[in-house]
C-alpha cells in the first residue's frame, strides 16, 4: 500500500499510459493523462483569476473570495505532485507530440509556484 501513496506511483502511471498508447495506439490511453492535465490547468487558472478578482473587492466580499481561494487551494493540494514531477509529465507529453498540453502542464507549474509563494507571504 505504501507504493500507492507515493507521488512516484503517479509518475509511473503517466509513463505507463504513454507507453501503452505508443505500443497500442488504438487504445487512446493517453487521453486520461491529457484530461487530467487540462483539468489541473483549469483549476489553476480558476485560482489565478479568483486571486486577481479578489484584489478588486474590499471588506466582506474580499473575505468570501479568499475563502473560495482557500477551498480551491485545498482541492489542488489533493494531488501530491511537486513542480519537478509536473515538469517531467510535461516533458513526457511533449515527447508524445502533445505540445499544447505539455505547454499547459508547464504553465501550471509556473502559476502554481507564483501563487504558492504569494500564499505563503500572505499567511506569514
Amino acid at each position: 500500500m505504501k507504493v500507492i501513496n507515493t507521488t512516484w506511483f503517479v509518475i509511473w502511471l503517466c509513463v505507463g499510459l504513454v507507453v501503452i498508447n505508443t505500443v497500442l495506439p488504438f487504445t487512446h490511453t493517453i487521453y486520461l493523462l491529457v484530461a487530467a492535465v487540462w483539468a489541473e490547468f483549469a483549476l489553476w487558472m480558476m485560482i489565478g483569476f479568483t486571486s486577481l478578482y479578489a484584489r478588486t473587492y474590499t471588506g466582506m466580499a474580499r473575505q468570501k473570495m479568499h475563502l473560495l481561494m482557500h477551498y480551491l487551494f485545498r482541492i489542488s493540494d489533493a494531488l501530491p505532485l511537486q513542480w519537478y514531477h509536473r515538469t517531467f509529465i510535461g516533458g513526457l507529453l511533449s515527447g508524445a507530440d502533445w505540445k499544447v498540453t505539455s505547454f499547459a502542464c508547464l504553465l501550471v507549474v509556473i502559476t502554481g509556484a507564483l501563487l504558492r509563494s504569494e500564499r505563503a507571504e500572505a499567511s506569514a
Side-chain angles (χ1 to χ4, degrees), residues 57-104:
Y57 282 135
T58 58
M60 190 62 160
R62 186 176 186 136
Q63 289 177 350
K64 287 181 182 178
M65 291 299 285
H66 281 283
L67 185 65
L68 175 65
M69 277 181 47
H70 179 69
Y71 178 71
L72 292 172
F73 268 119
R74 286 184 53 206
I75 292 173
S76 71
D77 288 340
L79 192 62
L81 292 176
Q82 299 295 324
W83 67 269
Y84 47 88
H85 296 131
R86 288 183 170 87
T87 305
F88 176 76
I89 292 171
L92 188 69
L93 286 169
S94 178
D97 285 337
W98 287 81
K99 304 295 185 207
V100 175
T101 306
S102 69
F103 177 71

Side-chain angles (χ1 to χ4, degrees), residues 29-41:
T29 55
I30 199 168
Y31 289 128
L32 296 170
L33 179 60
V34 170
V37 167
W38 281 105
E40 188 180 27
F41 174 78

